[in-house]
Amino acid sequence: MEINPTEIIGYLASLFVLLSFLFKDIRTLRIVNSVGCAFFVVYGVLLSSIPVIVTNVAILLINGYYLFIKKPIN
């Protein structure tokens, strides 16, 4: 069974998105989720899949907004 590099990127993307839901700290969750989404963007580009690219770029932008622009009030 041969796994190609595109599949490896897809599996990594899925792993990071799945792992992100194990964190209770929302900042850590968003960072790990963003890594997974970035892998999904690469995966989507390799597959030429516009829905995968658009969805994960949107999630990256939302995560970026909450991580860098909207700071939590302490």
Side-chain angles (χ1 to χ4, degrees):
M1 181 174 149
E2 184 178 325
I3 298 177
N4 66 40
T6 302
E7 288 182 11
I8 292 171
I9 292 171
Y11 287 127
L12 282 172
S14 297
L15 176 66
F16 276 93
V17 169
L18 178 66
L19 287 176
S20 73
F21 291 103
L22 296 176
F23 294 98
K24 290 185 180 184
D25 177 59
I26 192 70
R27 181 168 171 76
T28 305
L29 182 151
R30 288 191 184 278
I31 291 168
V32 176
N33 186 268
S34 293
V35 171
C37 288
F39 275 120
F40 266 126
V41 170
V42 173
Y43 183 67
V45 168
L46 292 172
L47 293 178
S48 299
S49 177
I50 300 300
V52 173
I53 296 167
V54 170
T55 302
N56 285 284
V57 166
I59 295 169
L60 274 171
L61 291 172
I62 293 166
N63 280 337
Y65 173 77
Y66 283 106
L67 285 168
F68 301 109
I69 296 172
K70 184 173 169 48
K71 302 287 184 181
I73 299 171
N74 292 333

